[in-house]
Amino acid sequence: MEVLSKAQSEGKVGEMQLGEIAIATDLNISTCHHILLTLMNRGYVAQHSRGRAYFLGTKIHELSSNRARQFSLAESAMPELRQLNMVTVENVHLAVLQGNDLVILAQLDSPQVVRVNLGSINLTNSAHATAIGKSILAWLPDIEIERIFNQIGLRRYTPATIVDFGEFKENLRLVRRFGYAIDHEEFVVGVASLGTAIRDQAGTVLGSVSCTLPESRADTEHFDVVKKAV
């Protein structure tokens, strides 16, 4: 794929024969052909019916387009994320859902001495246990929510994690009702977070933003400040 992409970036047609790809990648013809067939089956590479030349498939263009939108979202949101960080003096996160995975696009740390550090924690399958994840999931169709959790399940991270699917759907209903999601120690013991969805002008959910703070600071007064700011 890198070879085909390079051909396009250099202003060439972006099509290559099997022999050319094999030479460029230093693979034998048989191995190269097998890899190309796999990539074709997955939509990353396509082949002309005439000439049998290979070129980049639609899947690559979709991934490229999605990545560009994510960079644009992070860049556009950054002034507001900094403002939120300053007002709440808590950690701020910006996230999107890629397939089944929760992906953090931007993070600003709290300036306070006592703060949450999630640097070494994998957030990939944590959408159901985090405010930033639930803020996105709440607006997906029920069939899509069921598909996601049929594949990854509802992993228990702490005693407070919701692992019953019926209870989880009711929690998402409350997110839709109030416009924000809350996580009190559902993902990490001693950590609370509050998040909400980010939408475009048509109302489509693009991602979500959240504040994360120690549970010891999540008292009614401060949490209300965080909620209004988010």
Side-chain angles (χ1 to χ4, degrees), residues 133-167:
K134 289 190 284 187
S135 295
I136 300 174
L137 293 173
W139 303 101
L140 295 180
D142 285 347
I143 190 170
E144 178 66 9
I145 296 172
E146 291 175 8
R147 181 196 65 77
I148 291 173
F149 292 113
N150 282 337
Q151 293 182 9
I152 66 173
L154 292 169
R155 176 183 172 184
R156 182 182 293 280
Y157 291 96
T158 74
T161 306
I162 301 173
V163 294
D164 177 79
F165 190 66
E167 183 182 353

Side-chain angles (χ1 to χ4, degrees), residues 77-158:
M78 190 53 67
E80 295 295 337
L81 298 181
R82 291 196 182 99
Q83 176 70 12
L84 184 61
N85 180 242
M86 182 180 71
V87 170
T88 63
V89 292
E90 302 295 357
N91 287 13
V92 173
H93 293 85
L94 172 71
V96 294
L97 198 64
Q98 291 183 351
N100 302 335
D101 299 335
L102 185 66
V103 177
I104 303 298
L105 298 185
Q107 174 180 329
L108 298 175
D109 290 335
S110 167
Q112 303 207 61
V113 175
V114 179
R115 62 191 180 193
V116 175
N117 182 6
L118 299 178
S120 61
I121 298 178
N122 186 356
L123 288 155
T124 300
N125 293 327
S126 67
H128 67 288
T130 57
I132 200 165
K134 289 190 284 187
S135 295
I136 300 174
L137 293 173
W139 303 101
L140 295 180
D142 285 347
I143 190 170
E144 178 66 9
I145 296 172
E146 291 175 8
R147 181 196 65 77
I148 291 173
F149 292 113
N150 282 337
Q151 293 182 9
I152 66 173
L154 292 169
R155 176 183 172 184
R156 182 182 293 280
Y157 291 96
T158 74

Side-chain angles (χ1 to χ4, degrees), residues 61-77 94 96 98 105 200 204 206:
H61 298 298
E62 289 175 9
L63 291 174
S64 177
S65 177
N66 288 340
R67 193 61 178 162
R69 284 197 296 270
Q70 289 171 12
F71 279 123
S72 177
L73 176 62
E75 183 179 358
S76 300
L94 172 71
V96 294
Q98 291 183 351
L105 298 185
D200 64 15
T204 303
L206 302 177

Side-chain angles (χ1 to χ4, degrees), residues 130-135 171 175 178-183 193-196 223:
T130 57
I132 200 165
K134 289 190 284 187
S135 295
N171 189 267
V175 174
F178 294 110
Y180 58 87
I182 293 178
D183 148 32
S193 62
L194 188 146
T196 193
F223 213 56

Side-chain angles (χ1 to χ4, degrees), residues 3 21 27 35 67 72 97 99-100 116 167 181 185 192 194 210 212 214 219 227:
V3 171
I21 298 174
L27 296 170
I35 293 172
R67 193 61 178 162
S72 177
L97 198 64
N100 302 335
V116 175
E167 183 182 353
E185 301 186 283
L194 188 146
S210 74
T212 303
D219 58 85
K227 180 176 68 176

